[in-house]
Amino acid sequence: MKKPNETAVIRVLRGGEEHEFSIILRPLVAFLFLYVYSSLVILGSQTYHLVATLEPLVPVHQFDKLPSYYIFAGLVFIPLTQPYLHEYGEDWYNTSPRRLCERALRELPKKAGEQLVILSQVLMDDVNAGYERLAEMQVKKINGVEIENLKHFCQLVENNREENVRFDLEDERVIVLNYTSAKIATSKILMRHRIPSAMSNDLVDEKKFLETECGHSN
Ligand SMILES: *[C@@H]1O[C@H](CO)[C@@H](O)[C@H](O)[C@H]1NC(C)=O
């Protein structure tokens, strides 16, 4: 059994030729191995020395990073991370929401930047009445568009031009909100909870932000 950061040599037989790859093993070997393997087969017949640095779909650590969040109509959306699951205590593997936990440990990203977006909690208000039981579920689509990550999700909601905005969650659960009233409710809810911004800084559209900054200095 190899330990993290050891080098492993992998021999792969393709089209009757033997290809040799050497990779440096990082933690989460299973994820990385699959990735390295699938991206290497196409590369030809030399020996490759690769450091596997691809992230798993659900990040294991969040050191030095402020948590990402986006609040709309009191619904708090975040990307699923392992530290989030760790908040369920020492026995998080058994006590965290089963499906989220399984996805966190098993799923591989299909493209760079992909995140699982979940509705982590509901700040109660008339606008979201009845939706609090949908907390801890994954959100899959906004107005029929598949979500790539929290930033994409936030842009889809912010740029909504329909009268209603529709969220498709796992298990065929659907949230439909009147966009205008949801926007109004969002401001009220943020004020009530003294939350200064509906989204974390990493989601703020830089261009818009700059325009606002310039507006202030004039
Ligand atoms: C959505 O909310 C706005 C403002 O509260 C209201 O004027 C409008 O009629 C609502 N639309 C629907 C379809 O309920």
Side-chain angles (χ1 to χ4, degrees):
M1 180 73 187
K2 295 261 178 195
K3 294 197 184 64
N5 297 322
E6 272 189 296
T7 303
V9 175
I10 303 163
R11 290 199 183 77
V12 181
L13 202 61
R14 278 287 122 131
E17 269 183 81
E18 193 177 283
H19 306 256
E20 191 175 89
F21 307 114
S22 101
I23 60 164
I24 296 172
L25 297 170
R26 298 288 193 218
L28 288 165
V29 175
F31 287 110
L32 298 174
F33 182 83
L34 274 173
Y35 246 88
V36 170
Y37 181 84
S38 55
S39 53
L40 278 180
V41 210
I42 39 169
L43 289 181
S45 59
Q46 294 164 36
T47 303
Y48 294 91
H49 296 271
L50 285 195
V51 178
T53 51
L54 279 153
E55 300 272 336
L57 177 55
V58 174
V60 180
H61 303 295
Q62 289 292 89
F63 300 131
D64 302 329
K65 264 198 192 167
L66 290 170
S68 289
Y69 71 88
Y70 175 60
I71 302 174
F72 184 78
L75 310 172
V76 183
F77 300 97
I78 61 164
L80 181 61
T81 63
Q82 270 204 35
Y84 171 82
L85 296 171
H86 297 167
E87 282 174 28
Y88 286 85
E90 230 166 89
D91 198 24
W92 64 272
Y93 182 81
N94 292 312
T95 52
S96 63
R98 185 88 244 133
R99 272 180 302 186
L100 295 186
C101 180
E102 276 174 10
R103 266 171 230 159
L105 297 175
R106 298 211 185 118
E107 280 195 27
L108 292 164
K110 286 174 212 77
K111 52 177 137 175
E114 188 181 344
Q115 290 175 328
L116 294 187
V117 173
I118 61 166
L119 169 56
S120 77
Q121 57 169 311
V122 178
L123 305 172
M124 293 232 252
D125 187 87
D126 287 346
V127 77
N128 58 41
Y131 289 136
E132 58 282 347
R133 68 202 154 74
L134 300 186
E136 295 171 340
M137 285 195 149
Q138 189 191 343
V139 191
K140 306 206 145 177
K141 292 180 194 169
I142 297 292
N143 294 339
V145 180
E146 279 201 42
I147 300 159
E148 289 169 18
N149 52 44
L150 189 63
K151 187 158 191 163
H152 181 226
F153 173 96
C154 166
Q155 286 163 350
L156 288 171
V157 177
E158 292 293 312
N159 297 330
N160 174 62
R161 295 286 172 264
E162 315 277 324
E163 187 151 16
N164 292 325
V165 60
R166 174 188 165 118
F167 303 78
D168 279 271
L169 285 73
E170 62 184 286
D171 268 355
E172 324 269 304
R173 304 301 181 103
V174 177
I175 297 177
V176 178
L177 297 170
N178 174 323
Y179 193 67
T180 316
S181 9
K183 273 289 196 186
I184 297 166
T186 303
S187 317
K188 283 194 206 144
I189 295 166
L190 293 177
M191 272 203 277
R192 197 185 307 141
H193 291 268
R194 298 192 168 76
I195 302 169
S197 170
M199 64 191 83
S200 50
N201 272 335
D202 55 319
L203 302 183
V204 175
D205 183 344
E206 290 83 5
K207 205 168 114 243
K208 245 190 218 159
F209 182 68
L210 281 176
E211 279 164 14
T212 325
E213 289 286 283
C214 292
H216 281 310
S217 59
N218 284 340

